[in-house]
C-alpha cells in the first residue's frame, strides 16, 4: 500500500485509547474534507442544482466547524393535508378493511370454540351410551329404538349449552343473522349425529380419553380457532369439512 500521512497505532485490549484516537482522526478528516463531501452529495440529495443553496450549506458547515455547537436536525411540525378525496377514501377503506378482518377472526375463533365444545360433548354422550350398552342396559330395546335413544341422548345433552352459547354469542355481537346461525346449529346437529353413527361409535370404543384429546387437537388445527392454517396449506380449507364443527364456516 502507498500510504502517505498515515497514522500507526498499536492497540491493546487493556486500554480504550485506540478508540478515542480513531474518533479524533475521523473528526480531523471530516473537518478537512466536509466541504468536499457536501459538494459531492449535494447533487444526489437535491434534484435541482442551486449554487446559492450550496453556498448556504457550506456557510452553515463553516459555522459549525468554527463554533462549539453540535449538529442537530431542525424539526418542523406541519399539518398533513390529504391530496384528494380518493386518497381519503382509500385510507378509510384500508382501516375499515383491517377492522373487518379482526372482527372476522374473532368471530371465527368464538364460533369455532362453541361448536368444538358441542361436538366433544356429543362424543362424551356417545361414550356413556357405549358403556351402558356394555352393561346390557340397552339390550332390552329393539335396534331401531336403541338408535333413536342414543341420538336423542346426544341431542338433549347439548340442548342447554347450545341455546345458552347461542344467546351469549349473540349478546357479544358475534351473530350477524339469528336465522343464519340457527340454520348452522341445525346443520351441525344433523351432521354430528350422522357422523357419530357412522364413524364416531366405532372410534370411541377403546382409548376414550386419548381420542377425545386427538379430536380436540384436530379441531384446533383444521378450524380457524388459534390460527388459519389454510393460508399456509390450502388443502386445510377442504379437509376441515370432515369435522361437523366446521358448519359455521358455510
Amino acid at each position: 500500500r502507498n500510504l502517505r500521512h498515515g497514522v500507526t497505532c498499536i492497540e491493546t485490549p487493556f486500554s480504550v485509547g485506540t478508540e478515542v484516537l480513531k474518533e479524533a482522526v475521523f473528526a480531523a478528516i471530516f473537518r478537512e474534507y466536509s466541504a468536499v463531501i457536501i459538494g459531492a452529495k449535494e447533487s444526489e440529495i437535491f434534484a435541482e442544482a442551486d449554487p446559492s443553496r450550496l453556498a448556504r450549506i457550506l456557510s452553515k458547515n463553516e459555522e459549525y466547524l468554527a463554533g462549539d455547537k453540535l449538529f442537530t436536525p431542525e424539526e418542523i411540525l406541519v399539518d398533513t393535508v390529504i391530496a384528494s378525496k380518493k386518497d381519503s377514501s382509500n385510507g378509510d377503506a384500508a382501516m375499515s378493511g383491517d377492522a373487518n378482518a379482526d372482527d372476522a377472526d374473532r368471530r371465527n375463533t368464538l364460533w369455532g370454540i362453541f361448536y368444538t365444545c358441542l361436538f366433544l360433548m356429543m362424543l362424551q354422550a356417545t361414550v356413556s351410551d357405549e358403556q351402558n350398552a356394555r352393561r346390557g342396559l340397552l339390550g332390552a330395546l329393539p335396534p331401531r329404538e336403541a338408535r333413536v335413544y342414543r341420538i336423542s341422548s346426544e341431542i338433549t345433552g347439548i340442548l342447554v349449552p347450545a341455546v345458552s352459547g347461542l344467546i351469549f354469542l349473540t349478546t357479544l355481537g358475534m351473530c350477524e343473522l339469528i336465522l343464519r346461525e340457527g340454520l348452522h346449529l341445525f346443520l351441525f346437529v344433523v351432521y354430528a349425529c350422522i357422523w357419530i353413527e357412522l364413524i364416531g361409535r366405532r372410534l370411541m370404543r377403546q382409548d376414550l380419553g386419548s381420542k377425545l384429546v386427538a379430536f380436540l387437537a384436530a379441531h384446533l388445527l383444521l378450524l380457524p380457532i388459534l390460527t388459519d392454517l389454510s393460508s399456509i396449506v390450502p388443502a386445510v380449507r377442504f379437509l376441515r369439512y370432515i369435522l361437523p364443527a366446521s358448519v359455521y364456516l358455510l
Side-chain angles (χ1 to χ4, degrees), residues 59-180:
S59 174
K60 201 68 176 178
N61 180 59
E62 292 294 333
E63 180 182 339
Y64 276 108
L65 292 177
D68 56 354
K69 293 182 180 180
L70 297 176
F71 174 79
T72 54
E74 182 179 0
E75 297 181 3
I76 301 176
L77 300 178
V78 296
D79 295 331
T80 56
V81 178
I82 298 175
S84 64
K85 292 183 178 180
K86 182 179 180 181
D87 295 336
S88 176
S89 61
N90 290 338
D92 294 340
M95 294 179 63
S96 62
D98 294 339
N100 292 336
D102 293 339
D103 291 340
D105 292 341
R106 190 180 305 110
R107 190 179 299 111
N108 287 336
T109 299
L110 292 177
W111 283 110
I113 294 173
F114 171 68
Y115 281 106
T116 299
C117 291
L118 291 183
F119 184 65
L120 293 180
M121 292 174 65
M122 294 183 73
L123 287 179
Q124 184 61 40
T126 302
V127 173
S128 299
D129 292 340
E130 289 297 324
Q131 292 175 349
N132 292 334
R134 291 195 192 107
R135 298 190 188 102
L137 299 179
L138 298 179
L141 297 176
R144 184 175 180 179
E145 293 183 6
R147 184 179 298 107
V148 172
Y149 172 81
R150 290 196 299 265
I151 294 175
S152 62
S153 65
E154 294 164 4
I155 296 176
T156 55
I158 66 167
L159 182 60
V160 175
V163 175
S164 302
L166 188 62
I167 295 174
F168 177 70
L169 291 175
T170 302
T171 57
L172 289 180
M174 296 294 108
C175 182
E176 296 180 352
L177 186 62
I178 188 66
L179 293 178
R180 179 170 175 265

Side-chain angles (χ1 to χ4, degrees), residues 119 191 195 215 218-219 222-223 239-247:
F119 184 65
Y191 186 11
W195 193 95
F215 277 119
H219 283 75
L222 296 179
L223 299 181
L239 291 175
R240 63 178 45 149
Y241 290 105
I242 298 174
L243 303 174
S246 62
V247 295

Side-chain angles (χ1 to χ4, degrees), residues 193-209:
C193 290
I194 296 174
W195 193 95
I196 289 174
E197 287 298 317
L198 297 178
I199 303 174
R201 294 195 180 278
R202 293 176 176 82
L203 294 177
M204 302 302 293
R205 287 174 181 172
Q206 294 178 351
D207 262 346
L208 306 179

Side-chain angles (χ1 to χ4, degrees), residues 25 31 44 46 52 59 91 136 153 168 176 179 184 192 200 206 212 227:
V25 172
R31 178 180 293 275
E44 298 180 7
F46 300 98
S52 61
S59 174
S153 65
F168 177 70
E176 296 180 352
L179 293 178
H184 283 168
Q206 294 178 351
L212 285 176
T227 184

